Each structure stands twice: as structure tokens, then as C-alpha cells.
Amino acid sequence: MVSRLSFLGVIVRVFMWAFLIGLAVVVLYPLLWMVLSGFKTNAELFGDPFALPVDWSFDNYRKAWNGGVSGYLTTSVLVTVTSTVATVFVSAWAAYGLTRVQIPLSRTVTALILGGLMLAPTVALVPLVKMFQAMGLYNSFWALLILYTAFRVPFTTFLIRAYMIDLPREVDEAAEMDGAGRWTAFWRITLPMCKPIITSTVLLHILFAWNEYLFAMVFTSGSGVQTLPVGLTSLMSRHGTDFPVVFAGMVIAAVPVVLLFFLGQRYIVRGLADGIGK
């Protein structure tokens, strides 16, 4: 009986490792193929797409960088950083008010904020375009900043609020007795205690803003305000596309977010487990 159980345990571990290895191949091979394709020529890519490059040259990466990727990268960094700061700050302040301040109809306010999770961006595109055109914000950096912040605040507030609910209120009461105001208590006491969930929400928003395509495509049309997901499409020509250059641009766009994910995945899991798990 014992030997049978040990044999079944070995079989289960073998299948588990086989599944994990297969999953890793499915996830990592497309990334590896994209990187290798950036070193090829069009003839090599279409002649034998799965072969190794003949000449390991960075010419395609230089062409992609000089072909506009550097500008798109700068815009993406600017939009991502500013929208991350705005979203996390507004959400943390809102979560603090919902959990630490006695306000009328607090449950209704909470329901309205969380109701934003149900609003699909595609439903609001037409009225948003009209509104931004009337306000003179269409095709501008401010359009993306406002949209990225507004559509992520409900989700980020939900996560931070779930974490703040179980924080000890005695700390806030002690701060009030020492003469600290709401802002001081929030900035110097509550916010540092929320470091795990703040880190998670920062990383999640960066992943969202860096890869967002719909808003960036609809609300920007000039090369000076286009982000990487939209800007990379300009590398493709109707009369003949140099696909290795396009793949090189995609690699440049993917490297920052891939590195960020691998470096920050531990914090994402920990923050979400501490927050939603409560």
C-alpha cells in the first residue's frame, strides 16, 4: 500500500513538472522567437522563420530606435509614471476617507466608486471623444493621463480599501491625541502601513498603462503623443514592411515591462494576498 502511494506520488510529480515545463515553453518561446527575429532579414524571416539568424547584427534594433521607438518610449514612460502617481494617490486618499472618516452615505459612495469596475471603456468612447474635443484635450498627453487615472481609480481604490479596513484604528486615535490632522495621519502613519498593497497597485497600474492600446489609439493621432503600443504600428508600411525592424521595436517595448514583472511579481502576490485575502 505504501509503495503504491509513493508510486502515485512520483507519477503526479512527473505530470506536474511536465505540465510546468510545457507551460514555460508555451509562454517563453514566442518571446525568444520575437527576440531572434529582430536579428534577421526579411528574406531569412520568411525563408526559414524558425532558424537562427545568420548575422547577429543590431542594425534592426538601431533602425527601430531611430525610426521613432525612442520617442514613443519617452511618451510611454511619461504617461505611465504620471498616471501611476495620480491613480495611486487618489485611490489611497479615497480609501482612507472610506475607511477612516465618518461621512454621510459612505456605503453609497463606496458602491458608486466600485461601480466604476463595471463600466467598459468601449461603451464610453464616443461621448469621451466628444467631451475631450470640446475641452481641447483631444490628441494630447492630458487625455491619456485623465483616462488612465479615471478608469483605474475604482479598481485601485477597491484593493487599497480592502487592505485598510483591517488596519488597527488605535494608531489613528493615538495620532489624533498627539494633535495630528487627517493629512498627517494619512501621509505619515496609514500610508506607510499600506506599503505592500501600494507596491502591488503601482506595479499593476504600470503593467496596464504600458500595454494599453484602445485609449492610446483613439485619443492620439500625432507622433508626438503616441505611446509604444500605437507607435509600433507606424513601423509597418502598406507598401512593404520590414518585419525584423518591427520585431526589434516590439522587443524594446517589452523589455522594461518583462523585467519589472519578474522583479516585482513577489510584491504583487504578497500585496494582493494581504489585501484581498483579508
Side-chain angles (χ1 to χ4, degrees), residues 33-189:
W33 183 84
M34 183 175 66
V35 172
L36 295 177
S37 298
F39 291 97
K40 297 181 179 180
T41 63
N42 258 340
E44 292 179 55
L45 185 61
F46 286 102
D48 192 352
F50 300 106
L52 293 175
V54 176
D55 183 17
W56 294 81
S57 172
F58 284 91
D59 287 341
N60 292 326
Y61 289 89
R62 282 192 289 268
K63 290 179 182 177
W65 184 263
N66 297 326
V69 171
S70 59
Y72 304 137
L73 182 66
T74 302
T75 303
S76 285
V77 169
L78 184 61
V79 171
T80 300
V81 171
T82 53
S83 64
T84 299
V85 173
T87 301
V88 174
F89 176 77
V90 171
S91 301
W93 187 239
Y96 180 81
L98 293 172
T99 57
R100 290 297 188 271
V101 181
Q102 297 294 332
I103 59 176
L105 302 176
S106 60
R107 292 188 178 181
T108 304
V109 174
T110 302
L112 289 175
I113 294 177
L114 299 183
L117 294 171
M118 304 177 189
L119 179 62
T122 51
V123 176
L125 280 181
V126 174
L128 283 174
V129 168
K130 294 292 185 182
M131 183 179 71
F132 277 67
Q133 287 176 339
M135 297 172 62
L137 298 177
Y138 184 78
N139 193 31
S140 69
F141 162 79
W142 293 103
L144 296 182
L145 174 59
I146 294 172
L147 290 169
Y148 287 2
T149 301
F151 275 86
R152 292 296 290 185
V153 161
F155 175 71
T156 309
T157 302
F158 167 74
L159 294 181
I160 300 177
R161 175 182 173 274
Y163 191 92
M164 282 187 181
I165 286 176
D166 286 344
L167 292 180
R169 294 180 178 271
E170 292 79 6
V171 179
D172 298 83
E173 295 172 357
E176 291 180 7
M177 292 177 63
D178 290 338
R182 292 291 186 187
W183 173 255
T184 303
F186 165 75
W187 188 253
R188 296 195 174 184
I189 299 176

Side-chain angles (χ1 to χ4, degrees), residues 1 48 75 88 215 238 251:
M1 184 68 177
D48 192 352
T75 303
V88 174
F215 285 146
R238 182 179 303 176
V251 172

